[in-house]
């Protein structure tokens, strides 16, 4: 199975890390992308989670148009 995880907030790193590790241990392909927002990318680096930065957080008031 191929899984895509987009980390857009620091809490995502801590909550999703064990899930990513388990999926990979079971042989699944997990692609991680990240958004520049507070310490998200620093936490990914700290926890050794390879990721592809794809932009920054859109904020709570991102326009839907």
């Amino acid at each position: 199975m191929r899984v895509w995880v987009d980390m857009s907030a620091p809490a995502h790193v801590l909550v999703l890390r064990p899930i990513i590790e388990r999926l990979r241990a079971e042989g699944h392909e997990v692609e991680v992308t990240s958004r520049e927002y507070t310490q998200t990318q620093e936490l990914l680096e700290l926890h050794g989670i390879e990721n592809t930065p794809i932009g920054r957080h859109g904020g709570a008031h991102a326009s839907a148009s």
Side-chain angles (χ1 to χ4, degrees):
M1 175 172 41
R2 294 177 68 194
V3 180
W4 171 36
V5 179
D6 185 41
M7 304 282 195
S8 60
H12 296 165
V13 178
L14 302 175
V15 171
L16 296 173
R17 182 180 61 135
I19 296 168
I20 292 168
E21 290 173 352
R22 184 168 185 171
L23 286 168
R24 286 180 173 161
E26 292 176 359
H28 301 290
E29 180 182 339
V30 181
E31 178 71 26
V32 179
T33 56
S34 64
R35 309 293 174 134
E36 185 178 323
Y37 181 67
T38 60
Q39 295 86 22
T40 304
Q41 292 174 330
E42 290 85 351
L43 282 170
L44 287 164
E45 184 178 336
L46 178 69
H47 290 283
I49 301 173
E50 291 186 31
N51 67 94
T52 303
I54 60 169
R56 61 177 208 245
H57 188 272
H61 304 288
S63 174
S65 56

